[in-house]
Amino acid sequence: MTDTAVLESAQTATESQKPLLVVDNLKTYFPIRSGLLQRVTDHFKAVDGVSFNIKPGETLGLVGESGCGKTTVGRTLLRLVPATGGRVIFDGHDVFRASGTELQKLRRNMQIVFQDPAGSLNPRMRILSIVGEPLVIHGLVSDKSELRDRVETLLERCGMPRAAADRYPHEFSGGQRQRIGIARALALEPKFIVCDEPTSALDVSIQAQVINLLMDLQEEFQLSYLFISHDMAVIQHVCERIAVMYKGKIVEDGSREQIIGDPQHKYTQSLLSAVPEPNPRRKVERVIFEGGSM
């Protein structure tokens, strides 16, 4: 290998190690109003100083109980919920400061798969319009024929028949609707997708199919995921790195091996002890976390 080739290889390796997404001290507070005039008397700190980063092609699992703020993290960094403080840097661009053309480009590269596959799809729109709407808005198709071809190709890649384009969301099962939601998220060929509990509303038999689809798509398109879940078993299967969230803060983070094999925080230990044990003869001692200091 020539010196030039060695330098180019080293440069590529260095660039691949740079985080695609950097979340720094993210805060999202919601006002608490009281009294006759509904004045703001306090704030609920849904996200309180969260920091992490995600590299290209990597999956970070954000795990915690319901109400801990993990969904708010995902929606805030996409600007679906206004942030109170902190910074989000995506591919070198400040997400919260972006506007106009820069924001439009960022939105193309940052997508989300919602938890509720039924509630996230407009019941009055055909699947062709639902999946194709991002392509039309961003001007990525020139005519209806190209739109239909792109949508049908996306549906097919996500395990749906091409004929599904002419049907409505209520005609499909929960798993099929989630596949449609994934197809919509893929439409703009993003670099990063927030997966907000994408399997929690599905039957157990369907969950594995959707997870395998997401993992196949990640490998094929070199996607980065923020995978949000309350299920430690799912997180363990999908994610290379894990961040554990409790009451708006990340209490522990590290590699999958570190978090699963040697959890340091008692809350993490409690989550792991709640994972069902398939062997009925093996007794697992439950770890009870009663809150308090973190």
Side-chain angles (χ1 to χ4, degrees):
M1 185 180 288
T2 64
D3 291 343
T4 303
V6 170
L7 287 172
E8 288 178 351
S9 177
Q11 184 178 3
T12 301
T14 302
E15 289 177 353
S16 68
Q17 295 303 309
K18 291 180 180 178
L20 176 68
L21 178 76
V22 177
V23 177
D24 180 28
N25 199 30
L26 185 66
K27 298 178 181 179
T28 308
Y29 299 169
F30 296 107
I32 298 174
R33 300 179 184 274
S34 60
L36 184 63
L37 299 178
Q38 289 295 289
R39 289 177 176 154
V40 176
T41 56
D42 202 350
H43 287 84
F44 173 69
K45 299 179 180 181
V47 180
D48 191 19
V50 165
S51 300
F52 59 82
N53 60 70
I54 301 176
K55 295 176 183 177
E58 183 181 44
T59 300
L60 173 68
L62 188 59
V63 64
E65 62 190 12
S66 297
C68 69
K70 55 190 186 297
T71 290
T72 306
V73 169
R75 297 193 177 201
T76 302
L77 65 87
L78 293 177
R79 285 181 59 169
L80 299 179
V81 173
T84 303
R87 291 195 313 157
V88 173
I89 307 299
F90 178 79
D91 204 12
H93 300 274
D94 192 322
V95 175
F96 294 160
R97 292 180 179 271
S99 60
T101 304
E102 184 183 10
L103 179 59
Q104 188 177 29
K105 289 181 179 178
L106 286 173
R107 291 202 182 282
R108 280 189 58 179
N109 283 303
M110 304 174 73
Q111 293 293 310
I112 184 170
V113 176
F114 293 98
Q115 177 180 358
D116 180 9
S120 65
L121 305 178
N122 190 329
R124 293 186 175 89
M125 293 173 65
R126 296 182 189 272
I127 305 306
L128 176 64
S129 299
I130 291 173
V131 178
E133 188 174 33
L135 296 168
V136 174
I137 290 174
H138 287 268
L140 299 180
V141 288
S142 56
D143 52 42
K144 291 182 178 179
S145 176
E146 184 183 1
L147 174 64
R148 174 173 286 275
D149 183 63
R150 290 279 293 274
V151 169
E152 289 180 348
T153 300
L154 283 165
L155 289 172
E156 197 170 43
R157 179 61 192 85
C158 292
M160 295 293 292
R162 297 174 76 92
D166 294 314
R167 296 163 65 183
Y168 289 93
H170 74 267
E171 299 180 60
F172 299 97
S173 67
Q176 290 174 320
R177 285 194 288 256
Q178 194 60 289
R179 289 175 184 271
I180 293 166
I182 294 170
R184 177 178 58 186
L186 281 177
L188 298 177
E189 300 179 357
K191 296 179 180 179
F192 169 70
I193 297 178
V194 174
C195 299
D196 183 13
E197 304 213 43
T199 61
S200 65
L202 307 178
D203 294 339
V204 175
S205 59
I206 305 300
Q207 288 182 8
Q209 297 177 20
V210 173
I211 288 172
N212 289 336
L213 171 62
L214 288 168
M215 295 177 73
D216 289 344
L217 292 171
Q218 180 178 38
E219 185 176 353
E220 182 176 346
F221 298 106
Q222 291 301 296
L223 296 168
S224 298
Y225 289 149
L226 174 63
F227 198 98
I228 298 169
S229 179
H230 64 272
D231 190 334
M232 260 296 191
V234 172
I235 289 289
Q236 181 179 354
H237 179 68
V238 175
C239 308
E240 296 99 344
R241 288 173 49 238
I242 299 172
V244 182
M245 195 166 176
Y246 176 71
K247 288 189 175 180
K249 297 179 181 291
I250 290 178
V251 297
E252 187 171 4
D253 68 277
S255 67
R256 173 171 52 199
E257 290 73 21
Q258 289 173 329
I259 300 299
I260 302 300
D262 186 24
Q264 299 299 306
H265 198 278
K266 193 168 184 179
Y267 180 67
T268 310
Q269 297 168 8
S270 178
L271 288 177
L272 287 167
S273 72
V275 176
E277 171 56 51
N279 185 354
R281 295 183 178 180
R282 182 183 174 188
K283 292 184 179 181
V284 178
E285 184 179 351
R286 285 297 308 273
V287 177
I288 306 301
F289 180 70
E290 297 178 352
S293 61
M294 293 186 291

